[in-house]
Amino acid sequence: MSSDSVPTRRTGGRSALVIAAVRDAVEDLIAESGADKVTVPAVAARAGVSPSSIYRRWGDVGSLVAEVATLRLDPDRPLPDTGNIGDDLRAWARELYGHLARPTKASLLRASAVLADDGETNCLASRRDEAERLVERADARGQLTPSVRQIMDHLVAPIIYRITFEPDTVDTGFPETLVAELDRITETG
């Protein structure tokens, strides 16, 4: 058989369109009604696919919501690298807060927190990985750095808490306040 007659595999195609439609439907339904109202039949109807397609690929609504939350809450972006850990943390906190505070992202954040039960969400694990990379870079530059635990406790946790449980108090100056408090802890700790 010549190479001209070997069928080539299409990238994307119908499968990619179905996946995109299902993910968009989940995001829309969570934003409109909250995670507790999202069901496989509702997602299927909104996406224009059969429920069996969703069950076959994702198994259940919890797995589907967790995947969508991970994809939408973990944007592929470089971490700031200003040469100074304080400036890196400020830039990172502002970007993280701005990203997660968007209404649809906040809805996904709440949904992923509900579905996490006692486990750690992928979003939180990704933030921990980012904090570790920021600390490792600053350590390599010989800078005094907060610990990853301090960053998680005094920067990431308050941001996620505020957006998840007090969305009406979203304030763009909040990340700056948190980094200033973390600076004080690092200096005295």
Side-chain angles (χ1 to χ4, degrees):
M1 184 181 241
S2 73
S3 64
D4 294 335
S5 62
V6 175
T8 58
R9 184 173 185 163
R10 265 189 338 177
T11 56
R14 173 143 169 76
S15 180
L17 293 174
V18 167
I19 291 168
V22 168
R23 288 175 178 161
D24 289 345
V26 167
E27 197 167 353
D28 292 345
L29 288 167
I30 288 173
E32 291 169 14
S33 308
D36 57 330
K37 303 288 190 236
V38 175
T39 64
V40 169
V43 172
R46 175 70 65 100
V49 302
S50 73
S52 63
S53 295
I54 294 172
Y55 287 119
R56 190 171 37 256
R57 177 167 176 85
W58 288 280
D60 59 30
V61 75
S63 298
L64 175 57
V65 170
E67 178 186 292
V68 172
T70 297
L71 290 170
R72 302 294 201 248
L73 296 175
D74 290 342
D76 184 22
R77 82 246 189 259
L79 288 174
D81 190 3
T82 64
N84 176 282
I85 186 66
D87 292 339
D88 288 350
L89 288 172
R90 273 182 204 75
W92 182 58
R94 277 192 305 268
E95 187 274 330
L96 182 64
Y97 195 69
H99 174 72
L100 294 177
R102 294 179 188 138
T104 302
K105 306 297 188 227
S107 294
L108 282 169
L109 187 62
R110 282 188 286 282
S112 67
V114 166
L115 294 169
D117 293 324
D118 292 333
E120 181 175 75
T121 66
N122 288 340
C123 178
L124 190 56
S126 294
R127 301 298 74 77
R128 186 180 325 285
D129 291 344
E130 290 172 348
E132 286 172 359
R133 289 197 316 259
L134 289 170
V135 167
E136 287 168 2
R137 266 198 325 229
D139 282 342
R141 292 189 297 252
Q143 295 175 339
L144 178 64
T145 64
S147 69
V148 171
R149 170 55 56 201
Q150 287 173 319
I151 293 171
M152 295 303 292
D153 288 350
H154 299 281
L155 189 66
V156 176
I159 287 173
I160 290 176
Y161 178 86
R162 174 79 57 100
I163 292 168
T164 302
F165 299 108
E166 296 179 357
D168 295 337
T169 65
V170 169
D171 166 19
T172 57
F174 186 56
E176 297 291 333
T177 301
L178 295 173
V179 174
E181 290 170 2
L182 188 58
D183 284 344
R184 282 192 296 281
I185 290 167
T186 303
E187 290 169 2
T188 60

